Amino acid sequence: LGLSGPPGAGKSTFIECFGKMLTERKHKVSVLAVDPSSSTSGGSLLGDKTRMTELSRDMNAYIRPSPTSGTLGGVTRTTNEAILLCEGGGYDVVLVETVGVGQSEFAVADMVDMFILLLPPAGGDELQGIKRGIIEMADLVAINKADGDLIVPARRIQAEYVSAMKLLRKRSKVWRPKV
């Protein structure tokens, strides 16, 4: 599964919770988390693993943070090979977390069985995705952080994206993207 979305959408937190649920169901889970690299120093924080403390201690989970090292598209130059290595290593679920991306960084969509776009419920101009790009590539749009005071905005953005998705050309004859 490829997971993408804007910075602050809760990608790492979602993966922590989802990954724990999968390992409790006896799956072996691999997480390939991609962090942006500095254009000045070339360094990267590789901080996604710190947001997955429980999952990182789980014996049925493997988390590998990697820097983009200047690669565009939200992934690294070797993400596809890393997916194959994890599958070969016996991990039956591989989650690829992209850098916090914009509308044209969706290279992971061609590497995975399902591409999930996580969106926060109150991110400003909610229909930015309708400009085409990343929203066209999504197999599933998940509105994250939909609790408390954000329930109403989450339902509103869900309705907006359901309507917007009807306007997009379908990529598959058998699957209709869900929101």
Side-chain angles (χ1 to χ4, degrees):
L1 301 174
L3 292 111
S4 193
K11 295 178 294 293
S12 296
T13 306
F14 176 85
I15 289 171
E16 162 97 334
C17 184
F18 186 56
K20 286 298 294 175
M21 182 200 71
L22 289 168
T23 60
E24 287 167 5
R25 294 180 180 185
K26 308 299 182 219
H27 290 280
K28 285 190 69 181
V29 177
S30 175
V31 178
L32 303 173
V34 182
D35 273 352
S37 298
S38 167
S39 58
T40 307
S41 69
S44 183
L45 291 177
L46 303 177
D48 289 313
K49 192 171 183 176
T50 62
R51 290 190 211 105
M52 301 178 207
T53 53
E54 286 185 46
L55 190 60
S56 67
R57 290 189 296 255
D58 191 315
M59 294 304 292
N60 288 313
Y62 168 73
I63 301 173
R64 170 69 182 177
S66 299
T68 58
S69 300
T71 303
L72 299 177
V75 292
T76 71
R77 185 178 47 79
T78 58
T79 296
N80 203 45
E81 290 83 354
I83 291 170
L84 295 173
L85 283 170
C86 290
E87 289 173 341
Y91 292 93
D92 59 326
V93 178
V94 180
L95 305 173
V96 181
E97 177 186 358
T98 70
V99 297
V101 298
Q103 295 182 14
S104 62
E105 297 169 302
F106 46 77
V108 73
D110 293 326
M111 300 176 188
V112 296
D113 297 318
M114 176 172 263
F115 178 52
I116 302 167
L117 177 60
L118 284 176
L119 296 173
D125 187 359
E126 277 78 5
L127 286 178
Q128 279 296 313
I130 197 60
K131 290 182 177 175
R132 307 291 192 248
I134 197 167
I135 192 70
E136 289 181 306
M137 304 304 289
D139 297 306
L140 177 68
V141 175
I143 312 304
N144 202 16
K145 301 182 178 184
D147 58 355
D149 292 342
L150 296 175
I151 292 173
V152 172
R155 288 193 176 133
R156 182 177 45 80
I157 192 174
Q158 176 189 19
E160 289 176 3
Y161 270 89
V162 166
S163 294
M165 298 288 273
K166 291 176 186 174
L167 302 174
L168 301 176
R169 193 173 69 199
K170 293 162 186 48
R171 288 182 20 179
S172 169
K173 292 179 181 171
V174 295
W175 177 256
R176 282 206 153 107
K178 308 288 185 218
V179 180

